[in-house]
């Protein structure tokens, strides 16, 4: 009886103590001059995060890149298409090799972020951001289906009401940009948090508006990816939770056996 009480008490303590309030943050700084490459990986003890390039095509009349439903709409870019500059990562083949852009109707570009484990996308740092640029974020499920996490414009320095209003565009678990800071209205740097409450092991970043359309008086959509903030539960936390659940199971099994006897 004493041992059973000990097991239950220890299991309760382990489970409660392991409530995943703590987490490990990976700040992946991907800016830096280098040769063109196929992928860029940053890692810490808990997570490896790899950036690769995608392309996709939509009908000429399609003016937005939202509404896609499966990763099969995208294709891997040719090898060595990611450019590396002090401003961040870009993709060759579009309107600007130093940026990811969607200026070409039939060869729009996107970044694919792939984690070694599911992670929360907590923030981004983008450069070469103009006042009319837009952002589209997708989470990718294990079956390849896409979750529209929304976002739009509003990560630039413009005070244009239309741009400011579109910052609240939401889809799925999307939300507004958090703590947005920026350096200038055109060609600037924007750093912000994202209100995403679901973990995915893959995310797609592209623009929301097609770059071939005239959006707020300007044509062209794109930016460079400078840094990514990712969050995963602390490994020790999950280990304690598993231990706690295991001890609860052992205690329950012993109690069942005692009753049967």
């Amino acid at each position: 009886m004493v041992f059973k009480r000990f097991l239950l008490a220890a299991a309760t303590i382990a489970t409660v103590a392991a409530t995943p309030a703590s987490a490990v943050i990976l700040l992946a700084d991907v800016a830096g001059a280098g040769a063109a490459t196929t992928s860029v990986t940053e890692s810490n003890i808990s997570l490896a995060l790899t950036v690769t390039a995608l392309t996709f095509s939509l009908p000429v009349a399609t003016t937005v890149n939202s509404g896609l439903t499966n990763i099969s709409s995208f294709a891997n870019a040719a090898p060595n298409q990611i450019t590396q500059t002090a401003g961040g990562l870009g993709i060759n083949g579009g309107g600007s090799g130093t940026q990811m852009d969607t200026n070409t109707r039939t060869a729009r570009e996107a970044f694919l972020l792939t984690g070694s484990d599911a992670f929360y996308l907590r923030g981004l740092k983008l450069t070469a951001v103009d006042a009319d640029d837009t952002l589209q974020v997708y989470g990718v499920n294990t079956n390849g289906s896409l979750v529209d996490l929304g976002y739009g414009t509003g990560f630039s320095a413009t005070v244009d009401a239309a741009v400011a209003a579109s910052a609240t565009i939401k889809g799925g678990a999307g939300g507004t940009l958090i703590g947005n800071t920026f350096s200038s209205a055109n060609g600037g740097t924007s750093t912000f948090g994202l209100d995403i409450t679901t973990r995915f092991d893959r995310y797609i970043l592209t623009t929301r508006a097609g770059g071939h359309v005239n959006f707020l008086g300007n044509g062209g959509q794109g930016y460079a990816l400078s840094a990514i903030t990712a969050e995963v539960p602390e490994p020790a936390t999950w280990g304690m939770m598993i231990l706690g659940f295991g001890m609860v199971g052992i205690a329950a099994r012993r109690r069942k056996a005692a009753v049967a006897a």
Side-chain angles (χ1 to χ4, degrees):
M1 180 64 71
V2 173
F3 182 67
K4 293 177 186 175
R5 290 177 178 172
F6 167 76
L7 277 176
L8 287 171
T12 302
I13 292 170
T15 304
V16 172
T19 300
S22 58
V24 176
I25 301 295
L26 170 62
L27 177 58
D29 185 354
V30 294
T37 184
T38 301
S39 64
V40 174
T41 300
E42 296 288 333
S43 62
N44 61 15
I45 192 171
S46 299
L47 180 69
L49 185 59
T50 300
V51 182
T52 53
L54 300 175
T55 61
F56 64 107
S57 300
L58 291 174
V60 172
T62 305
T63 59
V64 296
N65 299 321
S66 58
L68 300 176
T69 60
N70 197 281
I71 195 171
S72 61
S73 299
F74 297 83
N76 292 324
N80 299 323
Q81 291 301 296
I82 289 185
T83 58
Q84 303 179 87
T85 69
L89 303 181
I91 302 175
N92 271 320
S96 173
T98 60
Q99 300 179 29
M100 178 280 296
D101 65 63
T102 56
N103 297 342
T104 304
R105 292 180 175 91
T106 57
R108 304 180 188 188
E109 299 169 344
F111 287 117
L112 175 65
L113 314 182
T114 303
S116 57
D117 194 3
F119 64 96
Y120 296 104
L121 182 59
R122 292 303 192 200
L124 295 170
K125 179 180 180 181
L126 306 177
T127 62
V129 177
D130 296 331
D132 64 320
D133 281 337
T134 58
L135 173 67
Q136 174 68 44
V137 182
Y138 288 106
V140 185
N141 289 318
T142 54
N143 64 359
S145 62
L146 302 181
V147 179
D148 185 351
L149 297 173
Y151 301 98
T153 58
F155 59 88
S156 62
T158 182
V159 295
D160 188 296
V163 175
S166 65
T168 62
I169 293 174
K170 296 181 181 180
T176 56
L177 303 172
I178 302 171
N180 181 33
T181 61
F182 41 77
S183 61
S184 62
N186 289 289
T189 298
S190 289
T191 304
F192 50 85
L194 298 171
D195 182 24
I196 295 176
T197 58
T198 303
R199 290 196 301 155
F200 297 90
D201 60 7
R202 290 177 294 174
Y203 293 84
I204 292 174
L205 308 179
T206 188
T207 70
R208 193 172 185 88
H212 68 289
V213 301
N214 187 307
F215 181 68
L216 296 178
N218 295 288
Q221 287 278 316
Y223 39 78
L225 177 61
S226 180
I228 306 146
T229 303
E231 177 185 314
V232 293
E234 190 172 14
T237 295
W238 291 112
M240 287 186 68
M241 288 188 72
I242 292 170
L243 174 63
F245 292 138
M247 294 176 74
V248 168
I250 292 172
R253 184 178 300 175
R254 284 179 173 272
R255 175 179 292 179
K256 184 177 180 180
V259 170

